[in-house]
Amino acid sequence: MVKLTDPQQAEEAAQQLLNDRMDYVRRAITARGALDEAREALKEAEKNDVRAFQAAVNNGGWTAEELRKIGLAAPEKVLRVQRRKRRSDSPTGGPEAGQAETEGQHP
C-alpha cells in the first residue's frame, strides 16, 4: 500500500474508488430500466394476443375449442375472465339460488 502524502493524490485515489462503485449503480439502473421496458412490452403483447384471439372467436367464425385443437390456446387473461364469469353466473347457495330452485313450483 502506497502512503499518500499529497492531498491531490489522495483525492484522485478516493475519486477513482467512488467511480468504480458508481459503475455498479449505473449498470443496476440501466438493467432496471431495461426490465421496466420489457415488462411494458410484455403487457402490450399480451393485450394484442387477447385482441387477436377474441377477434378470431368473435369475428372470424372460430370457436375457442377449434382454436385450441389447432394449437392456439386461449390467452391466460381470457381464461381468467371466463373463470370469473362462470363463478358469478353459477348459484352460490345464497337466497337467489333457493329462489331459482322454487320458481315455477306451486305449493
Side-chain angles (χ1 to χ4, degrees), residues 80-99:
R80 283 193 311 265
V81 170
Q82 289 173 348
R83 276 185 245 138
R84 190 176 330 128
K85 187 175 180 181
R86 271 189 240 129
R87 272 187 272 154
S88 67
D89 289 347
S90 66
T92 59
E96 297 85 18
Q99 186 178 20

Side-chain angles (χ1 to χ4, degrees), residues 17-96:
L17 289 173
L18 286 175
N19 289 343
D20 292 345
R21 292 175 65 196
M22 288 304 294
D23 283 342
Y24 287 99
V25 172
R26 287 183 194 100
R27 282 183 257 164
I29 289 172
T30 300
R32 184 64 52 88
L35 179 60
D36 290 343
E37 288 175 16
R39 284 182 176 144
E40 285 301 315
L42 177 60
K43 284 180 190 177
E44 190 63 31
E46 287 175 333
K47 286 179 191 177
N48 292 338
D49 182 42
V50 168
R51 286 185 198 122
F53 185 86
Q54 288 175 330
V57 172
N58 297 334
N59 304 328
W62 292 94
T63 66
E65 181 65 20
E66 290 171 329
L67 293 172
R68 186 191 60 75
K69 285 180 181 177
I70 61 173
L72 187 61
E76 182 59 33
K77 183 175 180 179
V78 170
L79 295 175
R80 283 193 311 265
V81 170
Q82 289 173 348
R83 276 185 245 138
R84 190 176 330 128
K85 187 175 180 181
R86 271 189 240 129
R87 272 187 272 154
S88 67
D89 289 347
S90 66
T92 59
E96 297 85 18

